[in-house]
Amino acid sequence: MNTTDTMTCVIATIIIIALTIWLVNLRTHHGKLFDHRLQLSPIQKIILLAATIFCIISYVLNDNFDDLIGIYHSSWHVTLIVTTVAVSAGFLEEYLTRGYLFNLCQRLLDYYHVTTCPLLIASLFNSLIFGSLHLMNFFLGGQDLTATLQQVFYATCMGLLFSAFRIATNTIYIGAILHFLLDWQLTITQSYAGASDWLGIVIIFLPMALLSMLFIMTVDQQVKK
């Protein structure tokens, strides 16, 4: 891809991201779930911090710091492409899933007068869809089935953490920035990933998901009171 094509793709991506954010904000009260940001209790902060620590551990174990160094030593052309892909993945996915789908589920719950754990249900709804979208890597990208199922699992777990951040910060963009930083690596431009050890994935991502769900449940109780 030459410089002109690259810049055209970058500009088009920026326009699509800006349009998506604008449209989602129209439907989600600018990303706000509450009139004011919640005051979290010490135990809620500890639970969210613990979930975040598991996220950091997964980042370190995947040698993503080496990828960051690789980006630093790459040409500006490669750096621009990797950054554009990471930004589009982070912001588009977060605003569509933790933004629009989260809001859609809330409206459905309100319509059917569901008052039991609405935030947890909305979080599970968008996270499962977010994880399932990675099945396209198998059906369209020719990726190995095991690697794809692992992606579906840990993407669903990550979706729950991003939902927890959306609830805790009362915004979408904080999770979008975090999503971008996690995706900002040279390997993001690869069409497929290889399979890893299931045990290692479960040990890291299952506690992250359970802690995120626990945090969201405490918020549900807090809002109900």
Side-chain angles (χ1 to χ4, degrees), residues 9 17 26 46 66 140 147-148 156 163 165 167 186 188 202 205 207:
C9 289
I17 292 173
L26 286 179
I46 292 173
D66 292 337
L140 301 179
T148 303
T156 301
S163 293
F165 270 102
I167 294 167
L186 289 173
I188 194 173
V202 171
F205 288 98

Side-chain angles (χ1 to χ4, degrees), residues 42-215:
I43 188 63
Q44 287 174 321
K45 293 178 181 179
I46 292 173
I47 294 171
L48 187 57
L49 176 61
T52 305
I53 289 174
F54 277 99
C55 179
I56 295 173
I57 292 173
S58 71
Y59 187 88
V60 173
L61 292 180
N62 285 330
D63 296 324
N64 288 340
F65 284 118
D66 292 337
D67 271 346
L68 281 179
I69 296 174
I71 293 174
Y72 176 77
H73 290 293
S74 299
S75 66
W76 70 269
H77 188 264
V78 172
T79 300
L80 182 61
I81 292 175
V82 169
T83 302
T84 301
V85 174
V87 169
S88 63
F91 279 80
L92 289 178
E93 290 177 4
E94 287 307 304
Y95 272 84
L96 290 175
T97 54
R98 254 63 65 184
Y100 178 74
L101 290 180
F102 199 111
N103 179 263
L104 174 63
C105 186
Q106 284 187 304
R107 285 187 276 123
L108 289 173
L109 293 175
D110 288 340
Y111 181 81
Y112 289 104
H113 307 291
V114 177
T115 58
T116 303
C117 297
L119 292 174
L120 179 60
I121 294 173
S123 299
L124 287 168
F125 173 75
N126 79 76
S127 298
L128 288 169
I129 293 179
F130 174 61
S132 298
L133 289 174
H134 292 77
L135 288 171
M136 291 189 297
N137 293 331
F138 172 74
F139 291 108
L140 301 179
Q143 182 173 263
D144 177 72
L145 179 60
T146 300
T148 303
L149 293 177
Q150 289 176 347
Q151 280 188 334
V152 170
F153 174 74
Y154 64 69
T156 301
C157 296
M158 289 298 302
L160 288 167
L161 179 62
F162 291 141
S163 293
F165 270 102
R166 199 234 160 143
I167 294 167
T169 62
N170 202 27
T171 61
I172 305 173
Y173 71 86
I174 297 295
I177 293 173
L178 175 61
H179 194 151
F180 153 69
L181 292 174
L182 293 175
D183 282 351
W184 196 33
Q185 47 190 288
L186 289 173
T187 54
I188 194 173
T189 56
Q190 293 181 357
S191 58
Y192 60 90
S196 302
D197 177 48
W198 266 112
L199 180 60
I201 291 176
V202 171
I203 289 175
I204 294 297
F205 288 98
L206 184 58
M208 178 199 305
L210 294 176
L211 287 166
S212 299
M213 291 171 63
L214 178 60
F215 169 81

